Amino acid sequence: MSISVTTDNPTQNTLKRIALVGNPNSGKTSLFNRLTGLNQKVGNFPGVTVDKKTGLLKLPNGKTLPVIDLPGTYSLYPTSLDERIVLEVLLQDQYPEHPDLIVYVADSTNLERHLLMLTQIIDLGFPVILALNMTDLADKASIQIDISALQEVLDVPVVKVNGRNGTGIHELKILLQNFPVSKKPNEFLFPIPKQNKELVNSLKALLKVDNDYRALMLAHHGATLKQVSAQNQLQIKGLTEKADFKSIRGQVDETMYRYEVINHLLERAVKRTGNNTSRSFTDRLDDIITHRAYGLGIFFIILFLMFQAVFSWAETPMELIETGFGWLSKTVAETLPQNWINGVISEGVIPGLGGVLVFIPQIAILFLLITLLEEVGYMSRAVFMSDRLLRNFGLNGRSIVSLISGVACAIPAIMSTRTIGNWKERMITIFVTPLISCSARIPVFAVLVAFVVPHDSSFLGIFNMQGAVIMGLYLLGAGAAIFSAWVLKLVLKTEEKSYFIMELPSYKTPYWKNVLLTVYEKVKTFVLEAGKIILIISIVLWCLASFGPGEKMQIAEEAAKTEATAQMLSEADAQALVASRKIEASYAGHFGKLIEPTIRPLGFDWKIGIALITSFAAREVFVGTMATIYSVGDVDNESSIIERMRKEKRPDTGEPVFDLPTSLSLLIYYVFAMQCMSTVAVVKRETKSWKWPILQLVYMSALAYLASFFVYQLLS
Amino acid sequence: MKGFLLNLSLFRFNPNKDLMKKRLIDVHNGESARILGFQDEEMGVKLLEMGCFPGSSIHIVRSAPFGCPLYVKVGSHQLALRKQEAETILVA
């Protein structure tokens, strides 16, 4: 047979959408990035929390072609959410993502395994182009692949590509441009077994399917597919039961048969010359990196260096963003006419936005490092090393990626749990991740720690005591996460088996495009997810703090002004005093006083109460609120806030409010409390129920309350 | 790798017979064995999909810091699997 790839007839091209399909670690994403560049976006499949990566590919003739990068999967028998969506999209042409051509990406160094799913896709009747990736590595391993022989035996066009350096991309595009979309007669690589023929025929009639293998797949999975109507699902169930159809047995038989066929086909196309027994670079590196003792040491050193880098590199850009927004807020306040709109924008929207954007440097740097570790292949080693330990607590080795990401921000961290196939392990990971101290806690810690430890004290002359306390708070959060996971492990029941078979890909140099695009996506997710909620809530909170019941605010303002004149305060001090009195008379002030009896046992007064309320949506708001309440004019200056808080006295005893018991209790409160509406929203979306986020909110609030209660009562 | 269809019988769990057989869990770190089959269909087919073909050689490189999972090589490729999975792989 011959494959007509040279007929240069652009009008013939009627492709509407192509999909990239392949096993995990086949280099599919590099190829996708290479094909689409920045012309891509990540969305969600409707109703499921699986990333949908789509993009536009520019053909040499100038036409564009939509491409979808389907999640990596080993076969059409899914074991995780990601794999399930691949099956759904390929089986059901009602999906708008359903492709009319598949570019199947395979790792040339392990063709036997990678061709398994290719043969399934060919049997589904899709036109396919096989893109052979990593042929350079195959050459090194003395695996010789005869492309024309491979084309002939598989009856599909084959093209060598290299997603990382761009080899073969043009050839692939030419192939796509001239691809004749014609249905081939079905010659199945896996003929339908005799005992299933009757079932397949009745399913073909029932569901109006013309492909035998598609019908067989519907026998396996039809009863759980989303696009199959409830009635059809019942009918499929009925038919498979009647036919005594055994799904797993069938899967085993099919897989074995296909491997047999693949082996037969590859006999002609692949030659292994020489006995490559020498140990590879990966083998030698893993001797150290996954070593029982050194491996753990390296893991902790990498973690330590990562956090160190995040905090030192992020400092300058964060200060720039803070200053920038401070300037913007001030300029807007002075430029716009003095009315409530001015207030909403300059005191609500802009600081709210600034509060979100200020975390971008930390989050971007942390995700840059995490993505780099993932790209070079280290992350799967971290998963390998931590699986046993985390399993004691109902987690999975894969949870380590979410837990580490949680140090930056819980939102992308929770989204990264999608790779955990086991339901219980995934829920536990989602539940405990917000207990890991995220970057939004740092500003709160930084202010409050000053009241717990005097600034200049050090321990043994080496360790800065404030640093040590903050480190302790991080460990406390991590400890609470682990403990909570363990409790959940005992509480949650599941019949689902947990298994863990994971590829450890060979180490490779990172491809910068993959890294940058991933970081960009994560940061975008954070800005969009957290941004919209924080923005809305900061407007609501501004209103709460700016309006009060009846005339009370006005009366308070007048009184403060008189007082300021009487005390001959400077204009700035007078303004600060007015602001402080106004917030006291506002709705927020009333709420603060309303909850005071509840938080009194934790050592908090109504002023702290206001801050707890305003920072309910996002913890970092705490610092700004403190500045307003204590009438500190210069919000951006941390030390002036600390100075002012230090002077605050209890009205009854005259002792400082922020003494050790209260400050520590407040710190502990912020370690445990949820105080992040964006996380609640993301958990709701990821678990598709209100049950989990509400449980989590109640649990974390209770934990925070009890912990603060004990700390305060013990110390005071 | 020829003829592994004949090994299909090894997918059927036979407690009396199979308990006598050597499993991957019995292979020491640093040693190799040949995969004969799997005791658990669900896990077995997953292993199969990930390249653990009956007849291929499997080498236990090391175990993770807390004794589990295992770092194995099948052909020239690295896999991590837990001891509970290793218990279901029959080897010779």
Side-chain angles (χ1 to χ4, degrees), chain A residues 220-327:
Chain A
H220 279 289
H221 312 294
T224 55
L225 288 181
K226 280 199 191 335
Q227 299 281 342
V228 176
S229 69
Q231 194 200 349
N232 280 346
Q233 290 193 352
L234 275 179
Q235 286 166 317
I236 294 171
K237 234 183 207 157
L239 282 171
T240 49
E241 268 164 29
K242 208 181 101 211
D244 196 24
F245 179 70
K246 293 198 173 54
S247 183
I248 294 195
R249 187 74 239 159
Q251 182 191 357
V252 170
D253 289 347
E254 182 192 326
T255 310
M256 295 291 250
Y257 189 94
R258 284 187 188 279
Y259 274 134
E260 182 91 337
V261 171
I262 291 166
N263 265 297
H264 181 69
L265 296 179
L266 290 186
E267 252 170 33
R268 279 188 52 202
V270 178
K271 301 255 171 325
R272 282 166 204 278
T273 50
N275 239 341
N276 204 336
T277 47
S278 70
R279 304 188 67 235
S280 66
F281 174 69
T282 296
D283 289 336
R284 277 174 285 143
L285 200 56
D286 268 340
D287 282 349
I288 306 162
I289 283 182
T290 62
H291 186 273
R292 274 188 170 212
Y294 313 145
L296 276 187
I298 292 169
F299 177 64
F300 285 114
I301 290 171
I302 288 179
L303 275 189
F304 177 78
L305 290 178
M306 220 159 84
F307 297 144
Q308 202 69 30
V310 168
F311 295 126
S312 55
W313 295 346
E315 212 179 318
T316 317
M318 285 178 85
E319 273 167 15
L320 280 177
I321 293 174
E322 272 177 353
T323 323
F325 273 88
W327 173 86

Side-chain angles (χ1 to χ4, degrees), chain A residues 14-144:
Chain A
T14 50
L15 285 178
K16 281 194 284 296
R17 177 182 297 277
I18 64 167
L20 297 187
V21 178
N23 289 11
N25 301 311
S26 58
K28 207 161 48 62
T29 302
S30 301
L31 183 64
F32 177 74
N33 289 340
R34 188 58 80 171
L35 286 173
T36 61
L38 281 171
N39 221 336
Q40 57 169 273
K41 63 172 192 216
V42 182
N44 258 298
F45 284 99
V48 249
T49 48
V50 172
D51 276 349
K52 184 176 89 177
K53 296 180 96 177
T54 50
L56 279 181
L57 151 73
K58 208 163 179 189
L59 292 172
N61 64 9
K63 283 192 182 172
T64 53
L65 186 58
V67 195
I68 179 165
D69 181 21
L70 289 173
T73 177
Y74 291 103
S75 72
L76 291 179
Y77 294 87
T79 50
S80 74
L81 274 178
D82 281 29
E83 295 182 345
R84 180 153 280 279
I85 201 71
V86 177
L87 176 78
E88 299 242 6
V89 167
L90 296 184
L91 279 191
Q92 303 295 109
D93 41 22
Q94 295 96 315
Y95 269 93
E97 295 84 8
H98 185 78
D100 42 16
L101 178 133
I102 286 174
V103 174
Y104 188 89
V105 188
D107 172 355
S108 311
T109 64
N110 201 357
L111 265 189
E112 290 92 337
R113 196 194 79 194
H114 281 257
L115 290 194
L116 173 68
M117 194 171 166
L118 174 72
T119 65
Q120 295 179 326
I121 289 194
I122 293 174
D123 280 354
L124 276 182
F126 280 104
V128 180
I129 294 174
L130 171 60
L132 281 185
N133 208 352
M134 307 180 200
T135 43
D136 49 336
L137 296 178
D139 287 344
K140 260 188 215 156
S142 315
I143 302 170
Q144 277 151 20

